[in-house]
Amino acid sequence: MPILGLLGTLLVAGIFWYVRNRGAVGTVEDVVELAGEARRAPRRIRFKRQANTHPVQQCEHPDELVAAYAAAFMEMDGLPSKNVQQASVASLGRLYNTTLKDAEELLAYGRWLMAECGTPDQAISRLGKRLYKLDGSGSFQNLMSIISDITAASGQLSARQKDALGQIKSDFKLQ
């Protein structure tokens, strides 16, 4: 009889362990999938690295730079919430008349561009200058629209995000 009790306890412990770790495996799979998406984004956009040229300087499309700027702005104070990410994807889709999937890919490419800059602060500086050089003031309205959607979703601006807005003013020569 004690052997049956021991086997029952082991069975219950095994089921408990399986159920508990199944959730952790799902989380790890989500992280691996997200990393794969970020890694594949430049290939989908047909990005080709050139020697001695930063990827931001190679970018010739203002919508990609705006997406990268949005990614950097969102991540100024750590990882953004799901709410903020969804707001930025919806805003990109609405501004550039794309599907939700295309807007997600655009944001994934933007995150990659931001990561190539190092930190979000460095990305803000580099992206703003490149965007102004490439498109002048043409993308300013789109950029401010996405930033206002991100701000509305997050609730308020942080000190670093306020500094980024100051950087936008200087990059677009509004001061």
Side-chain angles (χ1 to χ4, degrees):
M1 196 58 146
I3 293 176
L4 289 177
L6 180 62
L7 287 176
T9 304
L10 287 174
L11 181 64
V12 169
I15 291 171
F16 175 76
W17 178 81
Y18 174 76
V19 169
R20 185 167 181 220
N21 286 332
R22 191 175 58 189
V25 169
T27 303
V28 170
E29 288 173 351
D30 290 344
V31 169
V32 169
E33 181 181 333
L34 182 63
E37 283 295 315
R39 197 175 56 247
R40 289 187 298 271
R43 279 188 233 135
R44 279 193 301 271
I45 306 265
R46 294 179 182 84
F47 176 81
K48 293 187 180 180
R49 189 176 292 271
Q50 295 174 358
N52 299 326
T53 305
H54 195 276
V56 170
Q57 300 307 319
Q58 289 178 240
C59 192
E60 295 294 327
H61 303 285
D63 57 337
E64 295 168 357
L65 293 170
V66 168
Y69 203 100
F73 192 81
M74 282 189 304
E75 294 186 16
M76 292 294 285
D77 289 321
L79 293 176
S81 68
K82 188 80 165 168
N83 217 15
V84 173
Q85 290 178 3
Q86 289 173 346
S88 63
V89 168
S91 186
L92 282 169
R94 185 178 62 252
L95 286 174
Y96 294 111
N97 296 323
T98 63
T99 64
L100 207 56
K101 184 175 179 173
D102 289 342
E104 287 172 350
E105 286 186 9
L106 189 60
L107 189 61
Y109 180 67
R111 278 196 190 106
W112 178 79
L113 276 176
M114 179 203 62
E116 288 294 306
C117 293
T119 66
D121 294 320
Q122 293 169 336
I124 292 287
S125 176
R126 186 180 291 254
L127 290 164
K129 290 174 185 165
R130 176 64 181 153
L131 187 59
Y132 183 75
K133 184 178 179 182
L134 182 66
D135 196 30
S137 297
S139 295
F140 180 75
Q141 246 351 82
N142 290 345
L143 182 61
M144 293 311 292
S145 177
I146 290 174
I147 287 175
S148 67
D149 290 345
I150 291 170
T151 304
S154 66
Q156 63 183 15
L157 287 174
S158 68
R160 290 177 67 198
Q161 287 173 329
K162 289 178 185 174
D163 291 342
L165 289 176
Q167 181 72 36
I168 291 173
K169 286 181 182 178
S170 67
D171 289 342
F172 281 89
K173 306 195 182 343
L174 299 174
Q175 292 178 341

